[in-house]
Amino acid sequence: MKGHFIAKSNLSKSPGSVFPDANKSMQRLRYLFLHDLSVEQLTITLTLWLTSKLSKVNSENPVPEFVRLRASDPIRPNSYRIIKEGGDESWVEFSIQTQIQKKNVLFWQPAPRAFNQLFWQALRHKSYNKPIIPDKEKNQLSQFLTSSLTRFPEQQNIPIAHKTAWNNYITHCAHKDAQLNALAKASLITEKKLAYGSSCYYIATTTRHLRRDNYQAYNRYINRLLSAAKKEGISAFTNENDPYHDTDPLLNKNASEAGYLNREANTIPIVIIKNQVITEDEGVYVGTRRRVSTDQASRWLQTLNLELANIRPKSRKPVTTQLIAYHNLLTHIIAIHLITYCGCRPTHAISPAKGAIGLSSMCLRDKGKARIINFPRHIKVYIAHYRQHLQLIYSRFGVLHTENEPLLFLLNTSGKKEFLTAKSLRRFTAASSNAHVPYHFRKAYAQSLFEVGCPTHIFNRLMGHSQYGEQFGQLTQYAYDQQQDQVWTNRVAEYLGGPQETLC
């Protein structure tokens, strides 16, 4: 594939890009309801669609067998369960099997609000651990899903989404959704197809959080289709012609929700009901384990600041060994702060060139490309203090330092300049931070961005993540983007607590 096609493909998957056409996708959804499918067949079709497995159904891979489980049964692939946790509302959950960080993850996902009534009607009278539909209906459904589109009179001369586009509707929406974090995207898209797959290796969460993130995302994507149908005056998603059911819509985005779905702000509890006793599962831990917690990072940085204050020279002409020790610790502290509060990569250029630092940001050569990094307020103070401190170092040791050289450097026992490297920084953190490595603090920065709710496109920009075709040149940045980057940089500094002890 040529470069500009790769660029176009990557950009189309970027958060904030244009979502799939709602009218065309809505007409494809309407086509399912106009066809002579049972509620059970509709439920299975929509479940495959939600889990992005509809495209896998073909002559060699027919529709898989779905079963209903009890609320207390262990989860397994291609299964449903009905939760009734207080109140009158029952809610259907279906199993999602995905791969995150090359590990298989299986969890219960609450059905989207608009689909719950349909799913419940299909499952409420079904026996446990038995196929939802018999083989005959399953074969009919496989033939329908693999057959060509046959238009109904109501859809003549109306644009309908292509089968491939429709099958990947959820995937396309998830790619472009700036509100959805990388781990939630990976659970809906699979990590291999994720535009920014490396982000999954920086943050961590639990399946309780994934359930909430995915539930809200599903609702957003389906509401687009139902809003388009309402705008067109379409009511083909009802069962009003069925004499055995009432006239309530089968798809209703305003349906009342079960209580447990809104009990917590950021998670949906995993409810287990056995012998009428309700318990909750903590869920499965998902994401990186190789990181220092935000609390640990904040406490360690405060400890370093106190240590620096203790060895700071008090006289105008300090002892050489004392001045060198102070300078080296100050250099290491600022480097760790640039990693923890700004997301610099410790394995690449840790320090910017002396002449590439502005009042509120700096330009760093990162993976061979220019990258703008914004400073939180205390980093500005640290840089100013370090520049002032260097005047003493220049005069005392006769150090020559040009504008093109990195700002941060160390001194050996003889007072000779040695540039800060990833290896020397790693030795420093190993000796003083409980054997953590510098990259753990970059992951603490990523986790802080994740926990304060940073949108995915800003998250990727602040982390310096990119793929071929997505870099337009980081030196050219819109004022609004610069402002937003600064806002989230300041929020991370506040979230981590910020330094309580200054260097001055």
Side-chain angles (χ1 to χ4, degrees), residues 464-496:
H465 291 163
S466 65
Q467 286 188 336
Y468 183 71
E470 295 171 356
Q471 287 269 9
F472 293 108
Q474 295 290 349
L475 290 176
T476 304
Q477 194 173 36
Y478 292 109
Y480 177 77
D481 292 337
Q482 177 74 16
Q483 182 184 23
Q484 289 299 301
D485 289 357
Q486 188 66 60
V487 166
W488 290 102
T489 298
N490 292 339
R491 287 189 186 180
V492 167
E494 293 171 5
Y495 183 75
L496 284 169

PDB file of all heavy atoms in Angstrom, residues 464-496:
ATOM      1  N   GLY A 464       2.829  11.535  22.741  1.00  0.00           N
ATOM      2  CA  GLY A 464       3.737  11.454  21.604  1.00  0.00           C
ATOM      3  C   GLY A 464       3.529  10.226  20.763  1.00  0.00           C
ATOM      4  O   GLY A 464       4.429   9.813  20.025  1.00  0.00           O
ATOM      5  N   HIS A 465       2.323   9.605  20.849  1.00  0.00           N
ATOM      6  CA  HIS A 465       2.027   8.428  20.043  1.00  0.00           C
ATOM      7  C   HIS A 465       1.679   8.854  18.620  1.00  0.00           C
ATOM      8  O   HIS A 465       0.959   9.826  18.409  1.00  0.00           O
ATOM      9  CB  HIS A 465       0.831   7.653  20.626  1.00  0.00           C
ATOM     10  CG  HIS A 465       1.150   6.996  21.930  1.00  0.00           C
ATOM     11  ND1 HIS A 465       0.183   6.541  22.794  1.00  0.00           N
ATOM     12  CD2 HIS A 465       2.336   6.724  22.518  1.00  0.00           C
ATOM     13  CE1 HIS A 465       0.755   6.017  23.853  1.00  0.00           C
ATOM     14  NE2 HIS A 465       2.061   6.113  23.713  1.00  0.00           N
ATOM     15  N   SER A 466       2.143   8.113  17.674  1.00  0.00           N
ATOM     16  CA  SER A 466       1.830   8.426  16.281  1.00  0.00           C
ATOM     17  C   SER A 466       1.998   7.189  15.440  1.00  0.00           C
ATOM     18  O   SER A 466       2.647   6.227  15.833  1.00  0.00           O
ATOM     19  CB  SER A 466       2.743   9.536  15.752  1.00  0.00           C
ATOM     20  OG  SER A 466       4.082   9.095  15.719  1.00  0.00           O
ATOM     21  N   GLN A 467       1.375   7.235  14.268  1.00  0.00           N
ATOM     22  CA  GLN A 467       1.563   6.188  13.281  1.00  0.00           C
ATOM     23  C   GLN A 467       1.864   6.850  11.945  1.00  0.00           C
ATOM     24  O   GLN A 467       1.609   8.041  11.746  1.00  0.00           O
ATOM     25  CB  GLN A 467       0.317   5.303  13.157  1.00  0.00           C
ATOM     26  CG  GLN A 467       0.143   4.362  14.341  1.00  0.00           C
ATOM     27  CD  GLN A 467      -0.989   3.387  14.089  1.00  0.00           C
ATOM     28  OE1 GLN A 467      -1.886   3.644  13.315  1.00  0.00           O
ATOM     29  NE2 GLN A 467      -0.937   2.261  14.760  1.00  0.00           N
ATOM     30  N   TYR A 468       2.394   6.075  11.042  1.00  0.00           N
ATOM     31  CA  TYR A 468       2.742   6.615   9.729  1.00  0.00           C
ATOM     32  C   TYR A 468       1.519   7.265   9.086  1.00  0.00           C
ATOM     33  O   TYR A 468       0.450   6.702   9.020  1.00  0.00           O
ATOM     34  CB  TYR A 468       3.255   5.497   8.827  1.00  0.00           C
ATOM     35  CG  TYR A 468       3.713   5.975   7.476  1.00  0.00           C
ATOM     36  CD1 TYR A 468       4.876   6.705   7.346  1.00  0.00           C
ATOM     37  CD2 TYR A 468       2.969   5.718   6.335  1.00  0.00           C
ATOM     38  CE1 TYR A 468       5.307   7.153   6.114  1.00  0.00           C
ATOM     39  CE2 TYR A 468       3.380   6.153   5.107  1.00  0.00           C
ATOM     40  CZ  TYR A 468       4.554   6.880   4.993  1.00  0.00           C
ATOM     41  OH  TYR A 468       4.971   7.329   3.768  1.00  0.00           O
ATOM     42  N   GLY A 469       1.696   8.508   8.635  1.00  0.00           N
ATOM     43  CA  GLY A 469       0.596   9.209   8.000  1.00  0.00           C
ATOM     44  C   GLY A 469      -0.158  10.122   8.926  1.00  0.00           C
ATOM     45  O   GLY A 469      -0.994  10.892   8.485  1.00  0.00           O
ATOM     46  N   GLU A 470       0.127  10.086  10.234  1.00  0.00           N
ATOM     47  CA  GLU A 470      -0.629  10.920  11.170  1.00  0.00           C
ATOM     48  C   GLU A 470       0.161  12.130  11.649  1.00  0.00           C
ATOM     49  O   GLU A 470      -0.387  12.975  12.341  1.00  0.00           O
ATOM     50  CB  GLU A 470      -1.048  10.076  12.375  1.00  0.00           C
ATOM     51  CG  GLU A 470      -2.025   8.980  11.993  1.00  0.00           C
ATOM     52  CD  GLU A 470      -2.263   8.017  13.139  1.00  0.00           C
ATOM     53  OE1 GLU A 470      -1.627   8.170  14.173  1.00  0.00           O
ATOM     54  OE2 GLU A 470      -3.092   7.114  12.965  1.00  0.00           O
ATOM     55  N   GLN A 471       1.437  12.199  11.334  1.00  0.00           N
ATOM     56  CA  GLN A 471       2.257  13.316  11.775  1.00  0.00           C
ATOM     57  C   GLN A 471       2.285  14.385  10.692  1.00  0.00           C
ATOM     58  O   GLN A 471       2.819  14.196   9.619  1.00  0.00           O
ATOM     59  CB  GLN A 471       3.693  12.833  12.061  1.00  0.00           C
ATOM     60  CG  GLN A 471       3.813  12.018  13.331  1.00  0.00           C
ATOM     61  CD  GLN A 471       4.143  12.902  14.525  1.00  0.00           C
ATOM     62  OE1 GLN A 471       4.123  14.120  14.417  1.00  0.00           O
ATOM     63  NE2 GLN A 471       4.419  12.296  15.640  1.00  0.00           N
ATOM     64  N   PHE A 472       1.688  15.535  10.976  1.00  0.00           N
ATOM     65  CA  PHE A 472       1.723  16.646  10.038  1.00  0.00           C
ATOM     66  C   PHE A 472       2.902  17.575  10.331  1.00  0.00           C
ATOM     67  O   PHE A 472       3.121  18.536   9.625  1.00  0.00           O
ATOM     68  CB  PHE A 472       0.424  17.460  10.129  1.00  0.00           C
ATOM     69  CG  PHE A 472      -0.773  16.699   9.666  1.00  0.00           C
ATOM     70  CD1 PHE A 472      -1.715  16.252  10.578  1.00  0.00           C
ATOM     71  CD2 PHE A 472      -0.974  16.408   8.332  1.00  0.00           C
ATOM     72  CE1 PHE A 472      -2.832  15.550  10.160  1.00  0.00           C
ATOM     73  CE2 PHE A 472      -2.086  15.699   7.915  1.00  0.00           C
ATOM     74  CZ  PHE A 472      -3.005  15.268   8.826  1.00  0.00           C
ATOM     75  N   GLY A 473       3.634  17.289  11.391  1.00  0.00           N
ATOM     76  CA  GLY A 473       4.700  18.192  11.824  1.00  0.00           C
ATOM     77  C   GLY A 473       4.265  18.844  13.114  1.00  0.00           C
ATOM     78  O   GLY A 473       3.427  19.738  13.100  1.00  0.00           O
ATOM     79  N   GLN A 474       4.808  18.393  14.233  1.00  0.00           N
ATOM     80  CA  GLN A 474       4.330  18.862  15.520  1.00  0.00           C
ATOM     81  C   GLN A 474       4.666  20.323  15.781  1.00  0.00           C
ATOM     82  O   GLN A 474       4.121  20.925  16.689  1.00  0.00           O
ATOM     83  CB  GLN A 474       4.920  17.980  16.628  1.00  0.00           C
ATOM     84  CG  GLN A 474       4.452  16.534  16.587  1.00  0.00           C
ATOM     85  CD  GLN A 474       2.994  16.391  16.983  1.00  0.00           C
ATOM     86  OE1 GLN A 474       2.389  17.325  17.480  1.00  0.00           O
ATOM     87  NE2 GLN A 474       2.424  15.235  16.742  1.00  0.00           N
ATOM     88  N   LEU A 475       5.584  20.908  15.008  1.00  0.00           N
ATOM     89  CA  LEU A 475       5.894  22.316  15.201  1.00  0.00           C
ATOM     90  C   LEU A 475       4.736  23.196  14.758  1.00  0.00           C
ATOM     91  O   LEU A 475       4.603  24.329  15.204  1.00  0.00           O
ATOM     92  CB  LEU A 475       7.164  22.690  14.440  1.00  0.00           C
ATOM     93  CG  LEU A 475       8.459  22.100  14.997  1.00  0.00           C
ATOM     94  CD1 LEU A 475       9.623  22.461  14.090  1.00  0.00           C
ATOM     95  CD2 LEU A 475       8.715  22.604  16.399  1.00  0.00           C
ATOM     96  N   THR A 476       3.917  22.700  13.859  1.00  0.00           N
ATOM     97  CA  THR A 476       2.737  23.436  13.425  1.00  0.00           C
ATOM     98  C   THR A 476       1.550  22.942  14.234  1.00  0.00           C
ATOM     99  O   THR A 476       1.060  21.832  14.022  1.00  0.00           O
ATOM    100  CB  THR A 476       2.469  23.220  11.919  1.00  0.00           C
ATOM    101  OG1 THR A 476       3.627  23.598  11.190  1.00  0.00           O
ATOM    102  CG2 THR A 476       1.273  24.029  11.465  1.00  0.00           C
ATOM    103  N   GLN A 477       1.089  23.766  15.150  1.00  0.00           N
ATOM    104  CA  GLN A 477       0.018  23.352  16.048  1.00  0.00           C
ATOM    105  C   GLN A 477      -0.976  24.493  16.188  1.00  0.00           C
ATOM    106  O   GLN A 477      -0.597  25.639  16.397  1.00  0.00           O
ATOM    107  CB  GLN A 477       0.590  22.969  17.417  1.00  0.00           C
ATOM    108  CG  GLN A 477      -0.376  22.208  18.302  1.00  0.00           C
ATOM    109  CD  GLN A 477       0.311  21.719  19.562  1.00  0.00           C
ATOM    110  OE1 GLN A 477       1.170  22.388  20.100  1.00  0.00           O
ATOM    111  NE2 GLN A 477      -0.074  20.545  20.038  1.00  0.00           N
ATOM    112  N   TYR A 478      -2.262  24.167  16.045  1.00  0.00           N
ATOM    113  CA  TYR A 478      -3.285  25.187  16.174  1.00  0.00           C
ATOM    114  C   TYR A 478      -3.337  25.714  17.600  1.00  0.00           C
ATOM    115  O   TYR A 478      -3.067  24.991  18.568  1.00  0.00           O
ATOM    116  CB  TYR A 478      -4.652  24.628  15.786  1.00  0.00           C
ATOM    117  CG  TYR A 478      -4.773  24.309  14.323  1.00  0.00           C
ATOM    118  CD1 TYR A 478      -4.815  22.990  13.868  1.00  0.00           C
ATOM    119  CD2 TYR A 478      -4.831  25.332  13.377  1.00  0.00           C
ATOM    120  CE1 TYR A 478      -4.908  22.694  12.520  1.00  0.00           C
ATOM    121  CE2 TYR A 478      -4.937  25.040  12.022  1.00  0.00           C
ATOM    122  CZ  TYR A 478      -4.973  23.728  11.605  1.00  0.00           C
ATOM    123  OH  TYR A 478      -5.058  23.440  10.273  1.00  0.00           O
ATOM    124  N   ALA A 479      -3.716  26.981  17.731  1.00  0.00           N
ATOM    125  CA  ALA A 479      -3.757  27.603  19.052  1.00  0.00           C
ATOM    126  C   ALA A 479      -4.725  26.875  19.973  1.00  0.00           C
ATOM    127  O   ALA A 479      -4.459  26.719  21.172  1.00  0.00           O
ATOM    128  CB  ALA A 479      -4.151  29.080  18.920  1.00  0.00           C
ATOM    129  N   TYR A 480      -5.849  26.409  19.430  1.00  0.00           N
ATOM    130  CA  TYR A 480      -6.832  25.703  20.257  1.00  0.00           C
ATOM    131  C   TYR A 480      -6.244  24.389  20.783  1.00  0.00           C
ATOM    132  O   TYR A 480      -6.430  24.048  21.962  1.00  0.00           O
ATOM    133  CB  TYR A 480      -8.089  25.416  19.446  1.00  0.00           C
ATOM    134  CG  TYR A 480      -9.128  24.622  20.220  1.00  0.00           C
ATOM    135  CD1 TYR A 480      -9.920  25.237  21.182  1.00  0.00           C
ATOM    136  CD2 TYR A 480      -9.290  23.255  20.011  1.00  0.00           C
ATOM    137  CE1 TYR A 480     -10.862  24.515  21.906  1.00  0.00           C
ATOM    138  CE2 TYR A 480     -10.226  22.521  20.725  1.00  0.00           C
ATOM    139  CZ  TYR A 480     -11.007  23.170  21.662  1.00  0.00           C
ATOM    140  OH  TYR A 480     -11.929  22.440  22.380  1.00  0.00           O
ATOM    141  N   ASP A 481      -5.525  23.663  19.921  1.00  0.00           N
ATOM    142  CA  ASP A 481      -4.888  22.416  20.357  1.00  0.00           C
ATOM    143  C   ASP A 481      -3.858  22.685  21.451  1.00  0.00           C
ATOM    144  O   ASP A 481      -3.763  21.941  22.435  1.00  0.00           O
ATOM    145  CB  ASP A 481      -4.212  21.719  19.172  1.00  0.00           C
ATOM    146  CG  ASP A 481      -5.214  21.188  18.165  1.00  0.00           C
ATOM    147  OD1 ASP A 481      -6.368  20.962  18.570  1.00  0.00           O
ATOM    148  OD2 ASP A 481      -4.850  21.023  16.996  1.00  0.00           O
ATOM    149  N   GLN A 482      -3.088  23.748  21.268  1.00  0.00           N
ATOM    150  CA  GLN A 482      -2.089  24.116  22.268  1.00  0.00           C
ATOM    151  C   GLN A 482      -2.765  24.434  23.603  1.00  0.00           C
ATOM    152  O   GLN A 482      -2.296  24.022  24.675  1.00  0.00           O
ATOM    153  CB  GLN A 482      -1.295  25.332  21.778  1.00  0.00           C
ATOM    154  CG  GLN A 482      -0.259  25.863  22.748  1.00  0.00           C
ATOM    155  CD  GLN A 482       0.959  24.986  22.832  1.00  0.00           C
ATOM    156  OE1 GLN A 482       1.179  24.144  21.970  1.00  0.00           O
ATOM    157  NE2 GLN A 482       1.758  25.174  23.871  1.00  0.00           N
ATOM    158  N   GLN A 483      -3.887  25.125  23.538  1.00  0.00           N
ATOM    159  CA  GLN A 483      -4.628  25.481  24.751  1.00  0.00           C
ATOM    160  C   GLN A 483      -5.161  24.230  25.449  1.00  0.00           C
ATOM    161  O   GLN A 483      -5.068  24.105  26.672  1.00  0.00           O
ATOM    162  CB  GLN A 483      -5.779  26.425  24.396  1.00  0.00           C
ATOM    163  CG  GLN A 483      -6.594  26.893  25.585  1.00  0.00           C
ATOM    164  CD  GLN A 483      -7.783  27.740  25.168  1.00  0.00           C
ATOM    165  OE1 GLN A 483      -8.263  27.649  24.034  1.00  0.00           O
ATOM    166  NE2 GLN A 483      -8.273  28.563  26.066  1.00  0.00           N
ATOM    167  N   GLN A 484      -5.727  23.300  24.671  1.00  0.00           N
ATOM    168  CA  GLN A 484      -6.262  22.080  25.256  1.00  0.00           C
ATOM    169  C   GLN A 484      -5.155  21.218  25.868  1.00  0.00           C
ATOM    170  O   GLN A 484      -5.332  20.647  26.946  1.00  0.00           O
ATOM    171  CB  GLN A 484      -7.018  21.278  24.192  1.00  0.00           C
ATOM    172  CG  GLN A 484      -8.333  21.898  23.762  1.00  0.00           C
ATOM    173  CD  GLN A 484      -9.299  22.014  24.927  1.00  0.00           C
ATOM    174  OE1 GLN A 484      -9.658  21.034  25.558  1.00  0.00           O
ATOM    175  NE2 GLN A 484      -9.720  23.240  25.211  1.00  0.00           N
ATOM    176  N   ASP A 485      -4.020  21.136  25.191  1.00  0.00           N
ATOM    177  CA  ASP A 485      -2.895  20.385  25.744  1.00  0.00           C
ATOM    178  C   ASP A 485      -2.466  20.961  27.087  1.00  0.00           C
ATOM    179  O   ASP A 485      -2.168  20.226  28.027  1.00  0.00           O
ATOM    180  CB  ASP A 485      -1.714  20.413  24.772  1.00  0.00           C
ATOM    181  CG  ASP A 485      -1.958  19.571  23.529  1.00  0.00           C
ATOM    182  OD1 ASP A 485      -3.019  18.923  23.460  1.00  0.00           O
ATOM    183  OD2 ASP A 485      -1.103  19.568  22.628  1.00  0.00           O
ATOM    184  N   GLN A 486      -2.451  22.284  27.176  1.00  0.00           N
ATOM    185  CA  GLN A 486      -2.050  22.938  28.420  1.00  0.00           C
ATOM    186  C   GLN A 486      -3.060  22.663  29.536  1.00  0.00           C
ATOM    187  O   GLN A 486      -2.684  22.439  30.692  1.00  0.00           O
ATOM    188  CB  GLN A 486      -1.897  24.445  28.208  1.00  0.00           C
ATOM    189  CG  GLN A 486      -1.293  25.184  29.382  1.00  0.00           C
ATOM    190  CD  GLN A 486       0.148  24.786  29.628  1.00  0.00           C
ATOM    191  OE1 GLN A 486       1.010  24.945  28.767  1.00  0.00           O
ATOM    192  NE2 GLN A 486       0.432  24.259  30.814  1.00  0.00           N
ATOM    193  N   VAL A 487      -4.341  22.658  29.184  1.00  0.00           N
ATOM    194  CA  VAL A 487      -5.390  22.395  30.178  1.00  0.00           C
ATOM    195  C   VAL A 487      -5.203  21.020  30.806  1.00  0.00           C
ATOM    196  O   VAL A 487      -5.226  20.858  32.032  1.00  0.00           O
ATOM    197  CB  VAL A 487      -6.788  22.514  29.531  1.00  0.00           C
ATOM    198  CG1 VAL A 487      -7.864  21.924  30.444  1.00  0.00           C
ATOM    199  CG2 VAL A 487      -7.106  23.971  29.228  1.00  0.00           C
ATOM    200  N   TRP A 488      -4.998  20.004  29.965  1.00  0.00           N
ATOM    201  CA  TRP A 488      -4.874  18.642  30.484  1.00  0.00           C
ATOM    202  C   TRP A 488      -3.533  18.413  31.165  1.00  0.00           C
ATOM    203  O   TRP A 488      -3.436  17.634  32.121  1.00  0.00           O
ATOM    204  CB  TRP A 488      -5.104  17.630  29.356  1.00  0.00           C
ATOM    205  CG  TRP A 488      -6.534  17.617  28.924  1.00  0.00           C
ATOM    206  CD1 TRP A 488      -7.061  18.206  27.810  1.00  0.00           C
ATOM    207  CD2 TRP A 488      -7.634  17.036  29.629  1.00  0.00           C
ATOM    208  NE1 TRP A 488      -8.427  18.018  27.766  1.00  0.00           N
ATOM    209  CE2 TRP A 488      -8.808  17.303  28.863  1.00  0.00           C
ATOM    210  CE3 TRP A 488      -7.748  16.323  30.803  1.00  0.00           C
ATOM    211  CZ2 TRP A 488     -10.058  16.866  29.250  1.00  0.00           C
ATOM    212  CZ3 TRP A 488      -9.011  15.888  31.203  1.00  0.00           C
ATOM    213  CH2 TRP A 488     -10.147  16.161  30.432  1.00  0.00           C
ATOM    214  N   THR A 489      -2.500  19.115  30.727  1.00  0.00           N
ATOM    215  CA  THR A 489      -1.214  19.046  31.419  1.00  0.00           C
ATOM    216  C   THR A 489      -1.350  19.571  32.840  1.00  0.00           C
ATOM    217  O   THR A 489      -0.831  18.980  33.796  1.00  0.00           O
ATOM    218  CB  THR A 489      -0.151  19.857  30.652  1.00  0.00           C
ATOM    219  OG1 THR A 489       0.037  19.284  29.353  1.00  0.00           O
ATOM    220  CG2 THR A 489       1.179  19.858  31.390  1.00  0.00           C
ATOM    221  N   ASN A 490      -2.062  20.684  32.998  1.00  0.00           N
ATOM    222  CA  ASN A 490      -2.269  21.255  34.332  1.00  0.00           C
ATOM    223  C   ASN A 490      -3.132  20.339  35.198  1.00  0.00           C
ATOM    224  O   ASN A 490      -2.912  20.223  36.413  1.00  0.00           O
ATOM    225  CB  ASN A 490      -2.926  22.628  34.219  1.00  0.00           C
ATOM    226  CG  ASN A 490      -2.001  23.661  33.587  1.00  0.00           C
ATOM    227  OD1 ASN A 490      -0.783  23.488  33.588  1.00  0.00           O
ATOM    228  ND2 ASN A 490      -2.566  24.715  33.035  1.00  0.00           N
ATOM    229  N   ARG A 491      -4.117  19.673  34.592  1.00  0.00           N
ATOM    230  CA  ARG A 491      -4.974  18.773  35.361  1.00  0.00           C
ATOM    231  C   ARG A 491      -4.192  17.581  35.905  1.00  0.00           C
ATOM    232  O   ARG A 491      -4.431  17.129  37.021  1.00  0.00           O
ATOM    233  CB  ARG A 491      -6.139  18.292  34.502  1.00  0.00           C
ATOM    234  CG  ARG A 491      -7.193  19.348  34.238  1.00  0.00           C
ATOM    235  CD  ARG A 491      -8.419  18.771  33.577  1.00  0.00           C
ATOM    236  NE  ARG A 491      -9.357  19.812  33.202  1.00  0.00           N
ATOM    237  CZ  ARG A 491     -10.525  19.598  32.593  1.00  0.00           C
ATOM    238  NH1 ARG A 491     -10.872  18.354  32.287  1.00  0.00           N
ATOM    239  NH2 ARG A 491     -11.324  20.603  32.288  1.00  0.00           N
ATOM    240  N   VAL A 492      -3.272  17.065  35.092  1.00  0.00           N
ATOM    241  CA  VAL A 492      -2.444  15.950  35.560  1.00  0.00           C
ATOM    242  C   VAL A 492      -1.580  16.398  36.734  1.00  0.00           C
ATOM    243  O   VAL A 492      -1.431  15.669  37.728  1.00  0.00           O
ATOM    244  CB  VAL A 492      -1.573  15.404  34.410  1.00  0.00           C
ATOM    245  CG1 VAL A 492      -0.496  14.476  34.944  1.00  0.00           C
ATOM    246  CG2 VAL A 492      -2.436  14.665  33.407  1.00  0.00           C
ATOM    247  N   ALA A 493      -1.014  17.605  36.643  1.00  0.00           N
ATOM    248  CA  ALA A 493      -0.187  18.117  37.735  1.00  0.00           C
ATOM    249  C   ALA A 493      -0.999  18.243  39.020  1.00  0.00           C
ATOM    250  O   ALA A 493      -0.536  17.893  40.112  1.00  0.00           O
ATOM    251  CB  ALA A 493       0.419  19.465  37.353  1.00  0.00           C
ATOM    252  N   GLU A 494      -2.246  18.717  38.893  1.00  0.00           N
ATOM    253  CA  GLU A 494      -3.119  18.831  40.060  1.00  0.00           C
ATOM    254  C   GLU A 494      -3.494  17.451  40.593  1.00  0.00           C
ATOM    255  O   GLU A 494      -3.554  17.232  41.800  1.00  0.00           O
ATOM    256  CB  GLU A 494      -4.385  19.606  39.688  1.00  0.00           C
ATOM    257  CG  GLU A 494      -4.131  21.070  39.346  1.00  0.00           C
ATOM    258  CD  GLU A 494      -5.368  21.747  38.782  1.00  0.00           C
ATOM    259  OE1 GLU A 494      -6.439  21.086  38.759  1.00  0.00           O
ATOM    260  OE2 GLU A 494      -5.269  22.915  38.374  1.00  0.00           O
ATOM    261  N   TYR A 495      -3.747  16.518  39.693  1.00  0.00           N
ATOM    262  CA  TYR A 495      -4.156  15.175  40.090  1.00  0.00           C
ATOM    263  C   TYR A 495      -3.031  14.449  40.834  1.00  0.00           C
ATOM    264  O   TYR A 495      -3.271  13.737  41.821  1.00  0.00           O
ATOM    265  CB  TYR A 495      -4.551  14.374  38.846  1.00  0.00           C
ATOM    266  CG  TYR A 495      -5.068  12.987  39.133  1.00  0.00           C
ATOM    267  CD1 TYR A 495      -6.354  12.799  39.647  1.00  0.00           C
ATOM    268  CD2 TYR A 495      -4.290  11.862  38.894  1.00  0.00           C
ATOM    269  CE1 TYR A 495      -6.836  11.522  39.908  1.00  0.00           C
ATOM    270  CE2 TYR A 495      -4.763  10.589  39.151  1.00  0.00           C
ATOM    271  CZ  TYR A 495      -6.042  10.424  39.655  1.00  0.00           C
ATOM    272  OH  TYR A 495      -6.519   9.168  39.928  1.00  0.00           O
ATOM    273  N   LEU A 496      -1.794  14.639  40.360  1.00  0.00           N
ATOM    274  CA  LEU A 496      -0.654  14.013  41.024  1.00  0.00           C
ATOM    275  C   LEU A 496      -0.264  14.720  42.320  1.00  0.00           C
ATOM    276  O   LEU A 496       0.578  14.240  43.060  1.00  0.00           O
ATOM    277  CB  LEU A 496       0.553  13.994  40.080  1.00  0.00           C
ATOM    278  CG  LEU A 496       0.519  12.944  38.972  1.00  0.00           C
ATOM    279  CD1 LEU A 496       1.624  13.202  37.963  1.00  0.00           C
ATOM    280  CD2 LEU A 496       0.656  11.549  39.545  1.00  0.00           C
TER     281      LEU A 496
END
